[in-house]
Amino acid sequence: MDKNYLSREGYEELEEELEDLKGRGRREIAEEIAEARAKGDLSENAEYDAAKEAQGMLEKRIAELENALANARILDEEDIKTDKVYLLSKVTIYNHNVDKEVQYTLVSKDEADFKKGKISVESPIGQALLGSEVDDVVKVDVPAGELKLEVKKIER
């Protein structure tokens, strides 16, 4: 299995989510199933079917989190160099297509959260930026076309 590189913060967030799903999540699903079961005939009980489906999805997410944490390697941000773009680098880029500067932190797919400015190293933009240096211009093919991005600053 591939190693899953995470920041300390990302690891702790995944741990918290896992504990929440194992505790509160399982408890709530069990209550929903019991409620639906109490309503009688299970063969035509849509609430029961929905609760069982939700239980399956919950257990799938728990398994994904357990796997991600089992294969996790925590990276110390202090060890991240700023000469090139690496995992956990904070990168300021200039998007020539929209004449705008944006900042992203490159993270593993498990930590990615676009609203927080965290993009996966597996995304097209993340892959294009990895290994680039300040003043490099990279071109990225995305569904909307080709992006022209210039690396302005690399930080930890």
Side-chain angles (χ1 to χ4, degrees), residues 40-56:
D41 185 13
L42 298 182
S43 65
E44 295 180 18
N45 189 331
E47 285 181 42
Y48 179 78
D49 291 340
K52 289 299 280 182
E53 185 175 330
Q55 181 183 37

Side-chain angles (χ1 to χ4, degrees), residues 2-150:
D2 290 334
K3 288 183 175 72
N4 184 23
Y5 294 99
L6 298 169
S7 65
R8 168 74 50 202
E9 173 190 2
Y11 184 88
E12 290 170 359
E13 285 175 11
L14 293 180
E15 261 187 333
E16 285 174 25
E17 181 183 354
L18 178 61
E19 291 310 309
D20 181 56
L21 293 178
K22 282 182 161 183
R24 182 195 54 79
R26 282 181 171 160
R27 196 170 35 257
E28 287 176 3
I29 292 288
E31 289 169 7
E32 287 176 26
I33 291 172
E35 258 180 57
R37 191 178 278 148
K39 293 184 179 176
D41 185 13
L42 298 182
S43 65
E44 295 180 18
N45 189 331
E47 285 181 42
Y48 179 78
D49 291 340
K52 289 299 280 182
E53 185 175 330
Q55 181 183 37
M57 290 171 36
L58 174 80
E59 293 302 325
K60 180 178 183 246
R61 180 64 182 150
I62 287 172
E64 288 170 353
L65 289 170
E66 287 175 337
N67 186 44
L69 292 170
N71 294 301
R73 298 295 177 266
I74 297 171
L75 294 177
D76 186 356
E77 292 183 35
E78 297 300 315
D79 294 338
I80 306 299
K81 298 177 185 172
T82 57
D83 60 333
K84 291 183 179 181
V85 177
Y86 299 100
L87 183 67
L88 297 185
S89 292
K90 187 181 291 186
V91 186
T92 302
I93 58 173
Y94 175 73
N95 184 332
H96 288 268
N97 298 52
V98 293
D99 192 32
K100 185 178 177 185
E101 212 169 78
V102 291
Q103 188 175 69
Y104 296 121
T105 301
L106 271 65
V107 296
S108 71
K109 64 180 172 52
D110 294 309
E111 286 187 81
D113 185 345
F114 193 74
K115 291 177 185 172
K116 293 181 180 177
K118 295 179 177 183
I119 62 170
S120 169
V121 292
E122 296 178 19
S123 70
I125 293 174
Q127 288 178 353
L129 290 173
L130 272 179
S132 59
E133 300 175 3
V134 173
D135 296 328
D136 282 357
V137 176
V138 297
K139 293 182 179 177
V140 185
D141 287 322
V142 294
E146 185 179 80
L147 296 178
K148 185 177 174 186
L149 308 173
E150 183 177 346

